[in-house]
Amino acid sequence: RAWAMHLGNFGAAHWPDYESCAVAVNARGQVAGHVAFEAEGRIRRRVFVVNARNEAILLPAPTGTGSCAAALNDEGAVLFNTHCGPFELNSEAVVWRHGAGTVIPGLPGGTGVWGTALTRAGSVAGRLITASGGIRAFWHEGGKTYDLNPGVGYQSEALAASDDRVVVGRMLDQHGRRQAFRWTPADGLRPLADLVTEATGWVL
């Protein structure tokens, strides 16, 4: 259990004999993660933040669902997801900063949005489900969400992003093979093997 010492901060109702998981730490010494507990006959997860003074805070969760931490930036913003099942159709990615949450919008007609990366500037990357049911990597900045491989049928998922707008992740190519990719605004989404010299025939 990641923070058993903070039983008193959370209260027994939020720290029974279930699991906890710390997922991120930032330059300020803050830690973000989630705890699991039973509510209404179901196991729920709630996101927590432990600040540099060892104070544990539970973030509000949407009614009737749980939340799972995904990332924490150096400004203290937390990225978390609701409906914590894999590729959950109803999931929402939320950025929590200054005591309030902002939901990351998906694409028109699409459904579940799952965030995986949060930059210092507050941009978000992850995966979403399109109106046609495809699973695509996305990038969100300036209030807009972008499909990183528009017009292409294969799946993709962003896993990390940098402050200079470089996104990396994994995708299925036209042959159904899983490959690593890099996306930049200038080059778009490209298989990582294409960017490595003398890598003919490699699958990264």
Side-chain angles (χ1 to χ4, degrees), residues 74-159:
D74 286 343
E75 305 304 313
V78 180
L79 171 65
F80 67 84
N81 298 293
T82 67
H83 297 87
C84 300
F87 295 101
E88 171 63 56
L89 291 176
N90 299 316
S91 63
E92 292 183 322
V94 180
V95 176
W96 182 270
R97 59 164 69 86
H98 307 307
T102 300
V103 176
I104 303 302
L107 299 175
T111 52
V113 178
W114 190 270
T116 56
L118 175 67
T119 70
R120 183 169 183 172
S123 298
V124 175
R127 66 176 183 259
L128 50 72
I129 301 175
T130 67
S132 62
I135 299 170
R136 302 291 182 81
F138 77 86
W139 172 253
H140 177 86
E141 68 175 355
K144 295 187 65 176
T145 299
Y146 301 91
D147 182 348
L148 297 191
N149 58 338
V152 180
Y154 50 74
Q155 296 182 5
S156 60
E157 177 184 20
L159 296 174

Side-chain angles (χ1 to χ4, degrees), residues 9-74:
N9 298 88
F10 289 124
H14 293 114
W15 207 288
D17 293 329
Y18 294 107
E19 67 183 38
S20 63
C21 179
V23 301
V25 61
N26 67 12
R28 297 181 179 183
Q30 297 171 308
V31 175
H34 43 262
V35 295
F37 58 95
E38 187 173 351
E40 301 174 353
R42 299 183 62 184
I43 301 300
R44 302 287 190 189
R45 290 180 174 84
R46 286 281 300 277
V47 174
F48 68 82
V49 176
V50 177
N51 63 27
R53 297 186 300 275
N54 272 352
E55 297 169 332
I57 302 167
L58 281 174
L59 301 188
T63 303
T65 185
S67 55
C68 299
L72 170 71
N73 69 13
D74 286 343

Side-chain angles (χ1 to χ4, degrees), residues 167-178:
V167 180
V168 296
R170 57 191 175 190
M171 67 179 191
L172 295 181
D173 64 16
Q174 63 269 31
H175 304 294
R177 298 175 301 185
R178 191 177 300 278

